[in-house]
Amino acid sequence: MPLNRRTFLGRSAAAGAGVAVAGGAAAPAAAHGGGGREKRYSFTVMGTTDLHGNVFNWDYFTDREFDDKAHNDVGLAKISTLVEQVRKEKGRRNTLLIDAGDTIQGTQLSYYYAKVDPITARRGPVHPMAQAMNAIGYDAAALGNHEFNYGIPVLRRFQEQCDFPLLGANALDARTLRPAFPPYSMHRLRTPHGRDVRVAVLGLTNPGIAIWDKANVSGRMVFPGLEEQAAKWVPRLRSMGADVVIVSAHSGSSGTSSYGDQLPYIENAAALVAEQVPGIDAVLVGHAHTEIAEYTVVNEETGRPVVLSEPLKWGQRLTLFDFDLVWERGRWSVARVGAKVLNSNTVPEDQRITRLLGDEHEKVVAYVNQVIGTSTAVMATADAPWKDEPIIDLINHVQAETVKAALAGGQWAALPVLSQASCFSRTAAIPAGQVTIRDAAGLYPFENTLEARLMTGAQLKDYLEYSARYYVQTPAGAPVDTAKLTNADGIPDYNYDAVAGLTYEIDISKPAGSRIVNLAFGGEALDPAAEFVLAVNNYRASGGGAFPHVAGARQLWSNSDEIRNTIIQWVQAKGTVDPAAFASVGWKLTRDGVPVF
């Protein structure tokens, strides 16, 4: 019998237990039973990941329907339509629906119900993502690293509001080292042959949480490696009678990490789990924001194939794992697994979901369209990945001013304050005229907070050299194509930092590691021994992107408010945004001393 949700949540938090979910009526034999004497059964597991607060096919930062160059659509309302189509085709009782994490952060819809009208308030609202996922009928979801961005109380309240378990076998209580969330869920699917199929879903999250959300989890939770915990739990699930084991992993498949050697665990370990841990049939991959329709890994011990699939972020794709089972030697065994993805832009939104959350959507649209000031000029990020643009200068100016004010009158007040910022979105803009919350918030889509770290000139030189790896080496005289100039070795835009307060050139004709030239402060060559305060976001200060020195640098100050809110409050206080007051060309791309642009 299925457990009562509240009973289950209470038990699982204390004991780290899984949840058993019973299937329904038997599947039609003609559709899912084999002919002749051989007993066969087929079922489908659907998967999403990195939904990041997207319910509607709507972009709150542009205040219009979402669109991109590939004309993708986003949101759970679209996913719901695809899910219902699959359930109609396969039979609802022959399907499961799971998610691989990063659910409650990413849009202004999710931000609003964490910060503006928080779900943690007494008699507070139900989180829109919980409402939508409950209505669609999710069976389980793994925890993502962004689940921890708003603090554990918000996450726990969201957990209470979900009618399905949030899984995290490697999210452990720091004191007891027991699971702080259910490690797995167990689901029974009825077959026409008498013996149910037991499907176990093991949830694994990202060890980087210990760095990226240190302020929220330090001393409360620890996050060991995915391979280690999978090796612990998969045999247990098999001994409990699981016929099929699926891992829902908020971890990419590349085997890389963005936090260097600060943790002994690998960030993107999904493929390694499949290779190293026997007994896994399929892995739903998350975290990397890439699309992998089907990827097969051979387990090193058994030689058996393990199928991985990662649907594209924000509800743009739905993964389907199709399982074919055969009854042999008194048990069900997996004969074949295949995977594919469905594109959500092929279907309309499910009106049941849009009606359910229409009021919440309208509240957030009204909130983000509040006017907070005016701008004397248009500023945009379109060229910011390769030019020092005023719109990035605005972020750095606000951060530097905030840190200077915080340090005023103290031990570090006399030190010069520098600031780092990244181009998070190439479509962000501040219009001439009225500036709204959505305009300002669009500059900073992440929930990062601000810190001040003590750095030397030599460390800053290393920092900038590391950042400049972002550019593809381009010889002097060769044509420059901006479409191919950036993101060398897959480095994302958010891991390229411009540092304001210094002047420097990046010679893209030189190899990575020797590109920073004419580095100066106040018109003089930078003194390697000089000390500076760096205004830096907590993701970078905690080791995100593995930039050198900053994670180990002395923390002089930190703030609990999001940088996004700091920018909004700055615009409100100033009333007018005038680029002439803060914009300058502090850095530029060159080749042999000749500017590229």
Side-chain angles (χ1 to χ4, degrees), residues 392-434:
I392 304 299
D393 291 338
L394 172 61
I395 298 173
N396 275 323
H397 182 72
V398 171
Q399 292 182 164
E401 271 201 356
T402 302
V403 168
K404 287 175 184 175
L407 298 180
Q411 178 183 357
W412 312 103
L415 289 183
V417 176
L418 313 178
S419 178
Q420 64 78 223
S422 303
C423 176
F424 293 122
S425 167
R426 298 192 184 192
T427 59
I430 298 291
Q434 291 186 335

mmCIF file of all heavy atoms in Angstrom, residues 392-434:
data_model
loop_
_atom_site.group_PDB
_atom_site.id
_atom_site.type_symbol
_atom_site.label_atom_id
_atom_site.label_comp_id
_atom_site.label_asym_id
_atom_site.label_seq_id
_atom_site.Cartn_x
_atom_site.Cartn_y
_atom_site.Cartn_z
ATOM 1 N N ILE A 392 27.846 45.878 -18.132
ATOM 2 C CA ILE A 392 28.627 45.087 -17.176
ATOM 3 C C ILE A 392 29.323 46.025 -16.187
ATOM 4 O O ILE A 392 29.472 45.702 -15.000
ATOM 5 C CB ILE A 392 29.643 44.197 -17.906
ATOM 6 C CG1 ILE A 392 28.933 43.288 -18.929
ATOM 7 C CG2 ILE A 392 30.436 43.352 -16.912
ATOM 8 C CD1 ILE A 392 27.917 42.339 -18.342
ATOM 9 N N ASP A 393 29.724 47.196 -16.679
ATOM 10 C CA ASP A 393 30.284 48.209 -15.777
ATOM 11 C C ASP A 393 29.281 48.587 -14.685
ATOM 12 O O ASP A 393 29.673 48.883 -13.549
ATOM 13 C CB ASP A 393 30.676 49.469 -16.551
ATOM 14 C CG ASP A 393 31.869 49.256 -17.469
ATOM 15 O OD1 ASP A 393 32.646 48.320 -17.223
ATOM 16 O OD2 ASP A 393 32.020 50.037 -18.435
ATOM 17 N N LEU A 394 27.996 48.590 -15.025
ATOM 18 C CA LEU A 394 26.968 48.909 -14.037
ATOM 19 C C LEU A 394 26.995 47.902 -12.896
ATOM 20 O O LEU A 394 26.955 48.285 -11.715
ATOM 21 C CB LEU A 394 25.585 48.928 -14.698
ATOM 22 C CG LEU A 394 24.383 49.063 -13.761
ATOM 23 C CD1 LEU A 394 24.448 50.374 -12.978
ATOM 24 C CD2 LEU A 394 23.070 48.974 -14.544
ATOM 25 N N ILE A 395 27.065 46.605 -13.224
ATOM 26 C CA ILE A 395 27.137 45.581 -12.175
ATOM 27 C C ILE A 395 28.355 45.816 -11.301
ATOM 28 O O ILE A 395 28.272 45.831 -10.068
ATOM 29 C CB ILE A 395 27.184 44.168 -12.794
ATOM 30 C CG1 ILE A 395 25.923 43.872 -13.607
ATOM 31 C CG2 ILE A 395 27.368 43.119 -11.691
ATOM 32 C CD1 ILE A 395 25.982 42.561 -14.377
ATOM 33 N N ASN A 396 29.503 46.008 -11.941
ATOM 34 C CA ASN A 396 30.737 46.202 -11.179
ATOM 35 C C ASN A 396 30.703 47.472 -10.339
ATOM 36 O O ASN A 396 31.200 47.492 -9.205
ATOM 37 C CB ASN A 396 31.932 46.235 -12.133
ATOM 38 C CG ASN A 396 32.438 44.840 -12.462
ATOM 39 O OD1 ASN A 396 32.444 43.960 -11.610
ATOM 40 N ND2 ASN A 396 32.854 44.633 -13.706
ATOM 41 N N HIS A 397 30.113 48.525 -10.880
ATOM 42 C CA HIS A 397 30.027 49.783 -10.135
ATOM 43 C C HIS A 397 29.170 49.619 -8.878
ATOM 44 O O HIS A 397 29.561 50.079 -7.788
ATOM 45 C CB HIS A 397 29.440 50.868 -11.036
ATOM 46 C CG HIS A 397 29.342 52.214 -10.388
ATOM 47 N ND1 HIS A 397 30.444 52.998 -10.117
ATOM 48 C CD2 HIS A 397 28.260 52.918 -9.940
ATOM 49 C CE1 HIS A 397 30.054 54.124 -9.537
ATOM 50 N NE2 HIS A 397 28.738 54.097 -9.422
ATOM 51 N N VAL A 398 28.030 48.965 -9.023
ATOM 52 C CA VAL A 398 27.150 48.759 -7.875
ATOM 53 C C VAL A 398 27.851 47.884 -6.837
ATOM 54 O O VAL A 398 27.805 48.168 -5.625
ATOM 55 C CB VAL A 398 25.822 48.121 -8.324
ATOM 56 C CG1 VAL A 398 24.986 47.708 -7.111
ATOM 57 C CG2 VAL A 398 25.043 49.089 -9.206
ATOM 58 N N GLN A 399 28.509 46.833 -7.276
ATOM 59 C CA GLN A 399 29.194 45.940 -6.337
ATOM 60 C C GLN A 399 30.320 46.668 -5.605
ATOM 61 O O GLN A 399 30.467 46.535 -4.381
ATOM 62 C CB GLN A 399 29.746 44.722 -7.079
ATOM 63 C CG GLN A 399 28.666 43.792 -7.604
ATOM 64 C CD GLN A 399 29.217 42.556 -8.293
ATOM 65 O OE1 GLN A 399 28.499 41.594 -8.493
ATOM 66 N NE2 GLN A 399 30.485 42.557 -8.679
ATOM 67 N N ALA A 400 31.126 47.428 -6.339
ATOM 68 C CA ALA A 400 32.242 48.142 -5.716
ATOM 69 C C ALA A 400 31.738 49.181 -4.718
ATOM 70 O O ALA A 400 32.280 49.322 -3.609
ATOM 71 C CB ALA A 400 33.115 48.793 -6.780
ATOM 72 N N GLU A 401 30.699 49.924 -5.099
ATOM 73 C CA GLU A 401 30.135 50.922 -4.186
ATOM 74 C C GLU A 401 29.613 50.264 -2.909
ATOM 75 O O GLU A 401 29.790 50.784 -1.811
ATOM 76 C CB GLU A 401 28.989 51.669 -4.871
ATOM 77 C CG GLU A 401 29.409 52.897 -5.637
ATOM 78 C CD GLU A 401 28.244 53.869 -5.845
ATOM 79 O OE1 GLU A 401 27.110 53.544 -5.455
ATOM 80 O OE2 GLU A 401 28.494 54.963 -6.380
ATOM 81 N N THR A 402 28.956 49.123 -3.071
ATOM 82 C CA THR A 402 28.381 48.426 -1.920
ATOM 83 C C THR A 402 29.473 47.957 -0.970
ATOM 84 O O THR A 402 29.351 48.098 0.260
ATOM 85 C CB THR A 402 27.538 47.230 -2.405
ATOM 86 O OG1 THR A 402 26.514 47.695 -3.294
ATOM 87 C CG2 THR A 402 26.902 46.497 -1.243
ATOM 88 N N VAL A 403 30.543 47.415 -1.512
ATOM 89 C CA VAL A 403 31.647 46.937 -0.677
ATOM 90 C C VAL A 403 32.370 48.102 -0.009
ATOM 91 O O VAL A 403 32.707 48.044 1.177
ATOM 92 C CB VAL A 403 32.615 46.072 -1.509
ATOM 93 C CG1 VAL A 403 33.912 45.818 -0.738
ATOM 94 C CG2 VAL A 403 31.960 44.752 -1.878
ATOM 95 N N LYS A 404 32.598 49.177 -0.745
ATOM 96 C CA LYS A 404 33.249 50.353 -0.152
ATOM 97 C C LYS A 404 32.450 50.876 1.031
ATOM 98 O O LYS A 404 33.010 51.224 2.082
ATOM 99 C CB LYS A 404 33.412 51.455 -1.201
ATOM 100 C CG LYS A 404 34.493 51.195 -2.240
ATOM 101 C CD LYS A 404 34.500 52.294 -3.303
ATOM 102 C CE LYS A 404 35.499 51.991 -4.401
ATOM 103 N NZ LYS A 404 35.446 52.987 -5.502
ATOM 104 N N ALA A 405 31.145 50.961 0.879
ATOM 105 C CA ALA A 405 30.294 51.447 1.968
ATOM 106 C C ALA A 405 30.346 50.510 3.168
ATOM 107 O O ALA A 405 30.353 50.958 4.323
ATOM 108 C CB ALA A 405 28.858 51.602 1.477
ATOM 109 N N ALA A 406 30.404 49.192 2.890
ATOM 110 C CA ALA A 406 30.425 48.208 3.971
ATOM 111 C C ALA A 406 31.740 48.256 4.748
ATOM 112 O O ALA A 406 31.759 48.019 5.962
ATOM 113 C CB ALA A 406 30.199 46.808 3.406
ATOM 114 N N LEU A 407 32.836 48.572 4.062
ATOM 115 C CA LEU A 407 34.152 48.581 4.702
ATOM 116 C C LEU A 407 34.541 49.947 5.263
ATOM 117 O O LEU A 407 35.564 50.071 5.938
ATOM 118 C CB LEU A 407 35.227 48.124 3.704
ATOM 119 C CG LEU A 407 35.092 46.708 3.148
ATOM 120 C CD1 LEU A 407 36.236 46.415 2.183
ATOM 121 C CD2 LEU A 407 35.058 45.663 4.261
ATOM 122 N N ALA A 408 33.743 50.959 4.994
ATOM 123 C CA ALA A 408 34.073 52.329 5.405
ATOM 124 C C ALA A 408 34.284 52.412 6.918
ATOM 125 O O ALA A 408 33.515 51.870 7.705
ATOM 126 C CB ALA A 408 32.958 53.288 4.984
ATOM 127 N N GLY A 409 35.376 53.091 7.302
ATOM 128 C CA GLY A 409 35.649 53.289 8.713
ATOM 129 C C GLY A 409 36.319 52.128 9.403
ATOM 130 O O GLY A 409 36.624 52.194 10.598
ATOM 131 N N GLY A 410 36.563 51.051 8.670
ATOM 132 C CA GLY A 410 37.160 49.872 9.267
ATOM 133 C C GLY A 410 38.605 49.667 8.854
ATOM 134 O O GLY A 410 39.229 50.513 8.204
ATOM 135 N N GLN A 411 39.135 48.504 9.217
ATOM 136 C CA GLN A 411 40.539 48.177 8.995
ATOM 137 C C GLN A 411 40.939 48.210 7.522
ATOM 138 O O GLN A 411 42.080 48.535 7.191
ATOM 139 C CB GLN A 411 40.818 46.782 9.577
ATOM 140 C CG GLN A 411 42.237 46.278 9.370
ATOM 141 C CD GLN A 411 42.423 44.869 9.906
ATOM 142 O OE1 GLN A 411 41.498 44.284 10.495
ATOM 143 N NE2 GLN A 411 43.613 44.312 9.721
ATOM 144 N N TRP A 412 39.995 47.882 6.646
ATOM 145 C CA TRP A 412 40.315 47.718 5.232
ATOM 146 C C TRP A 412 39.823 48.876 4.365
ATOM 147 O O TRP A 412 39.874 48.807 3.147
ATOM 148 C CB TRP A 412 39.706 46.403 4.711
ATOM 149 C CG TRP A 412 40.006 45.245 5.614
ATOM 150 C CD1 TRP A 412 39.168 44.659 6.505
ATOM 151 C CD2 TRP A 412 41.268 44.575 5.745
ATOM 152 N NE1 TRP A 412 39.797 43.652 7.179
ATOM 153 C CE2 TRP A 412 41.098 43.570 6.729
ATOM 154 C CE3 TRP A 412 42.509 44.714 5.126
ATOM 155 C CZ2 TRP A 412 42.126 42.719 7.099
ATOM 156 C CZ3 TRP A 412 43.533 43.856 5.501
ATOM 157 C CH2 TRP A 412 43.348 42.877 6.472
ATOM 158 N N ALA A 413 39.380 49.930 4.995
ATOM 159 C CA ALA A 413 38.756 51.026 4.255
ATOM 160 C C ALA A 413 39.702 51.713 3.273
ATOM 161 O O ALA A 413 39.257 52.255 2.252
ATOM 162 C CB ALA A 413 38.189 52.053 5.231
ATOM 163 N N ALA A 414 40.993 51.702 3.535
ATOM 164 C CA ALA A 414 41.930 52.427 2.681
ATOM 165 C C ALA A 414 42.331 51.651 1.431
ATOM 166 O O ALA A 414 42.922 52.224 0.502
ATOM 167 C CB ALA A 414 43.189 52.775 3.481
ATOM 168 N N LEU A 415 42.010 50.374 1.376
ATOM 169 C CA LEU A 415 42.410 49.572 0.221
ATOM 170 C C LEU A 415 41.504 49.854 -0.976
ATOM 171 O O LEU A 415 40.289 50.048 -0.820
ATOM 172 C CB LEU A 415 42.341 48.081 0.553
ATOM 173 C CG LEU A 415 43.401 47.536 1.512
ATOM 174 C CD1 LEU A 415 43.219 46.036 1.679
ATOM 175 C CD2 LEU A 415 44.806 47.849 1.012
ATOM 176 N N PRO A 416 42.069 49.864 -2.183
ATOM 177 C CA PRO A 416 41.222 50.034 -3.379
ATOM 178 C C PRO A 416 40.322 48.821 -3.576
ATOM 179 O O PRO A 416 40.725 47.685 -3.319
ATOM 180 C CB PRO A 416 42.235 50.178 -4.517
ATOM 181 C CG PRO A 416 43.494 49.584 -4.002
ATOM 182 C CD PRO A 416 43.504 49.783 -2.523
ATOM 183 N N VAL A 417 39.103 49.085 -4.033
ATOM 184 C CA VAL A 417 38.121 48.022 -4.253
ATOM 185 C C VAL A 417 37.967 47.772 -5.751
ATOM 186 O O VAL A 417 37.645 48.696 -6.517
ATOM 187 C CB VAL A 417 36.753 48.386 -3.634
ATOM 188 C CG1 VAL A 417 35.717 47.304 -3.955
ATOM 189 C CG2 VAL A 417 36.880 48.574 -2.127
ATOM 190 N N LEU A 418 38.204 46.545 -6.159
ATOM 191 C CA LEU A 418 37.973 46.093 -7.528
ATOM 192 C C LEU A 418 36.708 45.248 -7.532
ATOM 193 O O LEU A 418 36.185 44.878 -6.483
ATOM 194 C CB LEU A 418 39.162 45.265 -8.024
ATOM 195 C CG LEU A 418 40.557 45.849 -7.785
ATOM 196 C CD1 LEU A 418 41.626 44.879 -8.282
ATOM 197 C CD2 LEU A 418 40.698 47.203 -8.458
ATOM 198 N N SER A 419 36.234 44.904 -8.701
ATOM 199 C CA SER A 419 35.009 44.112 -8.774
ATOM 200 C C SER A 419 35.036 43.204 -9.994
ATOM 201 O O SER A 419 35.565 43.574 -11.039
ATOM 202 C CB SER A 419 33.780 45.023 -8.838
ATOM 203 O OG SER A 419 32.591 44.267 -8.960
ATOM 204 N N GLN A 420 34.475 42.001 -9.841
ATOM 205 C CA GLN A 420 34.350 41.065 -10.960
ATOM 206 C C GLN A 420 32.889 40.914 -11.351
ATOM 207 O O GLN A 420 31.990 40.981 -10.511
ATOM 208 C CB GLN A 420 34.940 39.702 -10.625
ATOM 209 C CG GLN A 420 34.264 38.923 -9.491
ATOM 210 C CD GLN A 420 32.962 38.213 -9.823
ATOM 211 O OE1 GLN A 420 32.008 38.244 -9.048
ATOM 212 N NE2 GLN A 420 32.912 37.566 -10.976
ATOM 213 N N ALA A 421 32.669 40.711 -12.644
ATOM 214 C CA ALA A 421 31.317 40.445 -13.134
ATOM 215 C C ALA A 421 31.408 39.639 -14.417
ATOM 216 O O ALA A 421 32.397 39.703 -15.144
ATOM 217 C CB ALA A 421 30.544 41.742 -13.373
ATOM 218 N N SER A 422 30.357 38.877 -14.671
ATOM 219 C CA SER A 422 30.259 38.066 -15.882
ATOM 220 C C SER A 422 29.045 38.489 -16.690
ATOM 221 O O SER A 422 28.107 39.089 -16.160
ATOM 222 C CB SER A 422 30.119 36.583 -15.517
ATOM 223 O OG SER A 422 31.188 36.139 -14.719
ATOM 224 N N CYS A 423 29.070 38.152 -17.958
ATOM 225 C CA CYS A 423 27.890 38.328 -18.814
ATOM 226 C C CYS A 423 27.054 37.065 -18.702
ATOM 227 O O CYS A 423 27.370 36.044 -19.304
ATOM 228 C CB CYS A 423 28.324 38.570 -20.262
ATOM 229 S SG CYS A 423 26.941 38.677 -21.410
ATOM 230 N N PHE A 424 25.994 37.113 -17.896
ATOM 231 C CA PHE A 424 25.182 35.934 -17.661
ATOM 232 C C PHE A 424 24.216 35.652 -18.810
ATOM 233 O O PHE A 424 23.819 34.518 -19.035
ATOM 234 C CB PHE A 424 24.382 36.094 -16.370
ATOM 235 C CG PHE A 424 25.232 36.127 -15.137
ATOM 236 C CD1 PHE A 424 25.197 37.208 -14.280
ATOM 237 C CD2 PHE A 424 26.078 35.079 -14.841
ATOM 238 C CE1 PHE A 424 25.977 37.242 -13.137
ATOM 239 C CE2 PHE A 424 26.867 35.096 -13.699
ATOM 240 C CZ PHE A 424 26.817 36.190 -12.845
ATOM 241 N N SER A 425 23.811 36.694 -19.507
ATOM 242 C CA SER A 425 22.859 36.553 -20.611
ATOM 243 C C SER A 425 23.228 37.525 -21.717
ATOM 244 O O SER A 425 23.452 38.715 -21.452
ATOM 245 C CB SER A 425 21.435 36.845 -20.133
ATOM 246 O OG SER A 425 20.555 36.998 -21.226
ATOM 247 N N ARG A 426 23.299 37.035 -22.934
ATOM 248 C CA ARG A 426 23.653 37.896 -24.060
ATOM 249 C C ARG A 426 22.460 38.690 -24.585
ATOM 250 O O ARG A 426 22.577 39.443 -25.544
ATOM 251 C CB ARG A 426 24.269 37.064 -25.188
ATOM 252 C CG ARG A 426 25.551 36.363 -24.790
ATOM 253 C CD ARG A 426 26.281 35.793 -25.986
ATOM 254 N NE ARG A 426 27.469 35.039 -25.583
ATOM 255 C CZ ARG A 426 28.412 34.634 -26.417
ATOM 256 N NH1 ARG A 426 28.305 34.902 -27.717
ATOM 257 N NH2 ARG A 426 29.463 33.957 -25.986
ATOM 258 N N THR A 427 21.306 38.514 -23.949
ATOM 259 C CA THR A 427 20.109 39.234 -24.394
ATOM 260 C C THR A 427 19.602 40.226 -23.345
ATOM 261 O O THR A 427 18.554 40.830 -23.540
ATOM 262 C CB THR A 427 18.982 38.249 -24.737
ATOM 263 O OG1 THR A 427 18.674 37.462 -23.584
ATOM 264 C CG2 THR A 427 19.393 37.333 -25.882
ATOM 265 N N ALA A 428 20.326 40.392 -22.245
ATOM 266 C CA ALA A 428 19.896 41.350 -21.215
ATOM 267 C C ALA A 428 20.088 42.772 -21.722
ATOM 268 O O ALA A 428 20.997 43.058 -22.502
ATOM 269 C CB ALA A 428 20.675 41.133 -19.932
ATOM 270 N N ALA A 429 19.216 43.673 -21.262
ATOM 271 C CA ALA A 429 19.317 45.067 -21.709
ATOM 272 C C ALA A 429 18.643 45.993 -20.704
ATOM 273 O O ALA A 429 17.691 45.605 -20.020
ATOM 274 C CB ALA A 429 18.670 45.238 -23.078
ATOM 275 N N ILE A 430 19.166 47.201 -20.638
ATOM 276 C CA ILE A 430 18.526 48.307 -19.912
ATOM 277 C C ILE A 430 18.082 49.305 -20.979
ATOM 278 O O ILE A 430 18.904 49.812 -21.744
ATOM 279 C CB ILE A 430 19.505 48.982 -18.937
ATOM 280 C CG1 ILE A 430 19.992 48.007 -17.864
ATOM 281 C CG2 ILE A 430 18.871 50.220 -18.309
ATOM 282 C CD1 ILE A 430 18.947 47.591 -16.870
ATOM 283 N N PRO A 431 16.782 49.601 -21.058
ATOM 284 C CA PRO A 431 16.311 50.508 -22.109
ATOM 285 C C PRO A 431 16.558 51.972 -21.744
ATOM 286 O O PRO A 431 16.792 52.300 -20.579
ATOM 287 C CB PRO A 431 14.817 50.206 -22.154
ATOM 288 C CG PRO A 431 14.483 49.847 -20.734
ATOM 289 C CD PRO A 431 15.685 49.096 -20.213
ATOM 290 N N ALA A 432 16.515 52.821 -22.719
ATOM 291 C CA ALA A 432 16.465 54.256 -22.442
ATOM 292 C C ALA A 432 15.061 54.575 -21.942
ATOM 293 O O ALA A 432 14.069 54.064 -22.468
ATOM 294 C CB ALA A 432 16.779 55.057 -23.698
ATOM 295 N N GLY A 433 14.972 55.393 -20.909
ATOM 296 C CA GLY A 433 13.665 55.701 -20.342
ATOM 297 C C GLY A 433 13.406 54.878 -19.097
ATOM 298 O O GLY A 433 14.315 54.642 -18.298
ATOM 299 N N GLN A 434 12.183 54.445 -18.921
ATOM 300 C CA GLN A 434 11.792 53.745 -17.705
ATOM 301 C C GLN A 434 12.517 52.401 -17.562
ATOM 302 O O GLN A 434 12.634 51.636 -18.514
ATOM 303 C CB GLN A 434 10.279 53.512 -17.681
ATOM 304 C CG GLN A 434 9.466 54.791 -17.513
ATOM 305 C CD GLN A 434 7.982 54.505 -17.359
ATOM 306 O OE1 GLN A 434 7.476 53.480 -17.814
ATOM 307 N NE2 GLN A 434 7.275 55.432 -16.714
#
